Amino acid sequence: YRYNAYMQFENKLGRFNLNSGIRTSYWTLNEEYLFSPRASLSYQPLWDKDIVFRLATGYYYQTPFYRELRDFNGNLNTNIKSQKSIHYVLGSDYNFKI
């Protein structure tokens, strides 16, 4: 069995927008509990052009796919864990109409 839950919070503070949340999951196959916090902060300056600057970070997990759970003989591998990474993203958006 797999159990998943998530919560998200969004708050506008003037020209800033904060979006944060958590995801959790538990998988009975390998008894792995994952806790994944994440946050994104964006800022839209008062410019003539519609530009948004964004900073985001978070923990991310990729649970194993079906093929990774089986060996070449078809036996189930219950000693497998999710791939884990921490992301940091800095970027901007330029919105325009064509």
Side-chain angles (χ1 to χ4, degrees):
Y1 294 101
R2 288 188 194 202
Y3 302 97
N4 298 301
Y6 65 92
M7 286 187 342
Q8 183 172 315
F9 173 74
E10 186 169 358
N11 191 12
K12 281 196 160 226
L13 305 166
R15 311 230 30 99
F16 288 92
N17 188 29
L18 175 64
N19 189 325
S20 60
I22 58 170
R23 291 178 183 254
T24 62
S25 67
Y26 179 75
W27 195 7
T28 58
L29 176 74
N30 58 2
E31 298 181 351
E32 184 178 33
Y33 173 75
L34 304 174
F35 178 76
S36 179
R38 54 201 58 206
S40 174
L41 179 66
S42 62
Y43 172 70
Q44 186 172 16
L46 285 171
W47 294 350
D48 291 337
K49 308 258 186 216
D50 187 5
I51 296 179
V52 178
F53 297 101
R54 183 171 290 109
L55 172 67
T57 186
Y59 283 82
Y60 294 90
Y61 299 94
Q62 175 64 56
T63 57
F65 292 108
Y66 175 79
R67 184 62 193 107
E68 297 168 314
L69 294 173
R70 301 278 181 181
D71 65 12
F72 290 112
N73 297 322
N75 299 318
L76 187 61
N77 179 11
T78 60
N79 193 25
I80 193 165
K81 299 295 181 187
S82 298
Q83 296 179 29
K84 302 171 183 168
S85 67
I86 300 173
H87 290 204
Y88 301 97
V89 178
L90 178 63
S92 65
D93 295 330
Y94 175 37
N95 302 311
F96 59 93
K97 294 182 181 180
I98 295 180

